[in-house]
């Protein structure tokens, strides 16, 4: 089980600068982590609830969400290095101090470096939809993965998902509803939270007639 398909891409000058200036303090690579759990308290310099966002993309949403929740130790895991560079640029502009970045596979991170019952929340916003039916097996939200995520949530912790692909939304609902350690906070779809920024991709989906759907499940 892996959480992604690797994408290439070169960094811009600004992204490279952000990487050189900020990565040593803010970032770590999954492949270079020492064995055992990450000491998030030591890394952030404080004890606070840890929220993990899987797939931060170019950081448009992540930077704003971290800035809006200074009470959280906000962790973003992403495989695309230019995206993390862009996220650091955005965070720098917003003066964000409560954000740390991890480059690599979320499955490996969760399995080897995040203890059970330790996360306040996990967010997965607009993961790659793999719209062709023959590619659905590549989608991130599958039973094995959701069981892993659920095991890392503290009791009452939340798994919040969002997608603008109806078929994937239905798959997410089915998979998460089938995980016995999770319960849906709502009967089916969650109201779209006002605090989740509308990205250019979500606006494009609206223009193409696709409706975004949110799901929020709690750890029992």
């Amino acid at each position: 089980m892996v959480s992604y398909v690797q994408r290439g891409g070169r960094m811009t000058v600004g992204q490279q600068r952000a990487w050189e200036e900020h990565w040593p303090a803010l970032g770590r690579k999954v492949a270079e982590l020492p064995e055992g759990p990450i000491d998030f308290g030591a890394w952030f310099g404080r004890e606070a609830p840890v929220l993990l966002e899987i797939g931060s993309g170019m950081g448009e949403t992540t930077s704003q969400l971290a800035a809006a929740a200074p009470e959280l130790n906000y962790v973003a895991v992403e495989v695309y290095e230019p995206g993390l560079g862009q996220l650091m640029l955005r965070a720098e502009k917003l003066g964000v101090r409560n954000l740390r970045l991890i480059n690599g596979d979320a499955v490996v991170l969760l399995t080897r470096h995040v203890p059970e019952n330790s996360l306040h929340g996990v967010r997965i916003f607009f993961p790659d939809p793999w719209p062709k039916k023959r590619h659905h097996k590549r989608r991130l939200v599958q039973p094995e993965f959701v069981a892993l995520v659920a095991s890392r949530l503290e009791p009452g912790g939340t798994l919040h998902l969002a997608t603008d692909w109806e078929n994937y939304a239905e798959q997410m609902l089915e998979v998460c509803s089938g995980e016995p350690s999770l319960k849906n906070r709502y009967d089916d779809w969650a109201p779209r939270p006002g605090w989740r920024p509308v990205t250019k991709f979500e606006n494009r989906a609206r223009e193409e007639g696709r409706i975004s759907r949110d799901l929020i499940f709690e750890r029992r």
Side-chain angles (χ1 to χ4, degrees):
M1 177 175 61
V2 296
S3 68
Y4 69 96
V5 173
Q6 182 71 56
R7 291 182 296 161
R10 292 184 177 180
M11 292 192 197
T12 66
V13 172
Q15 291 165 359
Q16 185 66 42
R17 176 190 64 78
W19 194 274
E20 292 171 359
E21 290 183 7
H22 300 304
W23 183 259
L26 300 183
R28 296 182 181 180
K29 290 180 175 288
V30 171
E32 297 172 359
L33 290 171
E35 286 297 317
I38 297 174
D39 185 344
F40 287 112
W43 193 12
F44 280 87
R46 66 172 189 173
E47 294 297 329
V50 177
L51 190 140
L52 177 67
E53 183 177 326
I54 297 174
S56 53
M58 299 303 287
E60 183 181 2
T61 295
T62 309
S63 56
Q64 296 178 61
L65 292 178
E71 74 281 3
L72 297 176
N73 283 350
Y74 207 107
V75 181
V77 57
E78 169 62 50
V79 298
Y80 188 51
E81 290 187 3
L84 290 169
Q86 190 65 34
L87 172 53
M88 285 186 280
L89 285 176
R90 296 179 192 273
E92 179 184 47
K93 187 174 182 179
L94 293 174
V96 175
R97 295 288 180 268
N98 62 320
L99 178 65
R100 300 293 183 271
L101 316 178
I102 299 177
N103 178 222
D105 187 352
V107 171
V108 177
L109 174 68
L110 288 166
T111 303
R112 300 181 183 175
H113 305 292
V114 177
E116 294 184 358
N117 308 308
S118 66
L119 297 177
H120 177 70
V122 172
R123 290 173 178 167
I124 307 172
F125 293 158
F126 303 96
D128 195 324
W130 294 105
K132 294 181 180 179
K133 190 170 184 178
R134 68 177 184 272
H135 293 154
H136 284 185
K137 62 181 179 292
R138 299 181 182 178
R139 287 175 169 175
L140 176 62
V141 182
Q142 307 281 357
E144 185 180 0
F145 177 73
V146 169
L148 173 62
V149 170
S151 72
R152 269 50 183 174
L153 290 170
E154 64 189 15
T158 57
L159 169 59
H160 185 172
L161 307 110
T163 183
D164 54 8
W165 288 86
E166 182 177 10
N167 174 269
Y168 200 2
E170 291 170 350
Q171 177 179 328
M172 290 175 172
L173 178 60
E174 179 181 357
V175 169
C176 293
S177 297
E179 170 51 50
S181 65
L182 295 176
K183 62 178 180 180
N184 196 338
R185 183 175 285 181
Y186 301 88
D187 290 335
D188 43 33
W189 314 116
R192 189 199 187 287
W195 50 259
R196 182 167 64 72
V198 179
T199 67
K200 62 182 179 181
F201 296 105
E202 192 171 357
N203 277 326
R204 184 186 304 165
R206 288 178 180 176
E207 293 169 0
E208 295 173 358
R210 296 196 306 277
I211 300 170
S212 296
R213 291 175 171 83
D214 286 72
L215 288 164
I216 301 177
F217 281 78
E218 295 180 8
R219 173 77 186 274
R220 298 181 188 274

